[in-house]
């Protein structure tokens, strides 16, 4: 990542949830969802402590948007983040349950309206379930992650989450399928050209770069990117674990 912070463009755009906005603008969000996201990535609270925040977020979104396409897409994102909490705690059963709910919300949203957020969340939920469910699920659904990410990028070419999904499949795949150079190339191009990164995408890009360099035994580069990831979420335990792992490389 080259002079990453200086490349950010902080956007202050009002979010209008019409079909046209969904097709043309950046991924919409809500403060309550951003708060949940940050708690998940900070990894300072347990699933039990975060659960009330998750419930409150669902209630607020439902009160504000109901069962509209926007409300369903937002609910999908909330379920996805709760799934991540359980996944961090290696509770696959509850993680899958929330990812499945997130997938269903995204599907229901797309039945009403095509949106970047719903497409993205459908892809995100499938991606995580591929890692947790039996291999048969990954074999049947894995390719959908890339195709959904392509749909997002066709609508919003600057969508960092979609680009990350496409690159991550090369970096985090089993060694026999992985292509670290290709994955890093995709991430670097995004880091150098994308005009704006939400904090979770900034973290994910740098974490993936660091993880990739661990796989190719490049200690200096691995630590460089992992340190940048830790700047975004300084208490993230997984990132700290990777830093320890990178530090042992010779």
């Amino acid at each position: 990542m080259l002079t990453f912070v200086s490349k950010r463009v902080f956007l202050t755009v009002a979010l209008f949830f019409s079909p046209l906005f969904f097709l043309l603008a950046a991924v919409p969000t809500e403060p309550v969802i951003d708060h949940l996201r940050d708690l998940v990535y900070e990894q300072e609270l347990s699933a039990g402590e975060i659960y009330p925040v998750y419930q409150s977020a669902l209630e607020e979104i439902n009160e504000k948007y109901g069962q509209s396409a926007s409300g369903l897409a937002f609910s999908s994102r909330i379920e996805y983040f709760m799934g991540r909490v359980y996944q961090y705690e290696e509770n696959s059963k509850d993680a899958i349950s929330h990812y499945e709910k997130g997938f269903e919300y995204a599907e229901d949203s797309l039945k009403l309206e095509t949106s970047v957020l719903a497409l993205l969340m459908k892809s995100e939920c499938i991606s995580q379930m591929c890692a947790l469910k039996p291999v048969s699920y990954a074999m049947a659904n894995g390719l959908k992650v890339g195709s959904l990410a392509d749909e997002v990028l066709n609508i919003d070419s600057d969508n960092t989450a979609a680009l990350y999904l496409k690159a991550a499949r090369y970096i985090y795949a089993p060694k026999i399928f992985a292509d670290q150079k290709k994955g890093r190339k995709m991430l670097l191009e995004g880091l150098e050209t994308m005009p704006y990164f939400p904090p979770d995408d900034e973290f994910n890009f740098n974490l993936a770069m660091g993880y990739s360099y661990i796989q190719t035994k490049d200690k200096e580069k691995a630590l460089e990117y992992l340190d940048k990831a830790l700047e975004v979420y300084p208490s993230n335990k997984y990132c700290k674990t990777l830093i320890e792992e990178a530090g042992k490389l010779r």
Side-chain angles (χ1 to χ4, degrees), residues 23-24 116 147-159 162:
L23 289 173
L24 297 181
V116 165
S147 62
L148 286 165
D150 283 333
E151 286 189 59
V152 172
L153 291 168
N154 286 337
I155 298 169
D156 175 13
S157 61
D158 290 335
N159 191 284

Side-chain angles (χ1 to χ4, degrees), residues 86-147:
Y86 284 116
Q87 191 170 356
Y88 286 147
E89 295 187 356
E90 299 184 352
N91 181 343
S92 296
K93 180 180 178 181
D94 286 334
I96 290 171
S97 176
H98 285 282
Y99 290 140
E100 287 177 338
K101 289 179 184 177
F103 175 85
E104 290 171 6
Y105 278 132
E107 287 248 284
D108 289 343
S109 178
L110 290 168
K111 290 175 184 176
L112 299 175
E113 177 179 279
T114 299
S115 74
V116 165
L117 182 57
L119 288 169
L120 182 62
M121 295 321 303
K122 183 176 178 180
S123 181
E124 294 265 24
C125 290
I126 292 173
S127 175
Q128 297 304 322
M129 287 192 287
C130 282
L132 296 176
K133 287 194 171 189
V135 175
S136 57
Y137 178 88
M139 294 292 289
N141 296 278
L143 292 178
K144 295 177 184 178
V145 175
S147 62

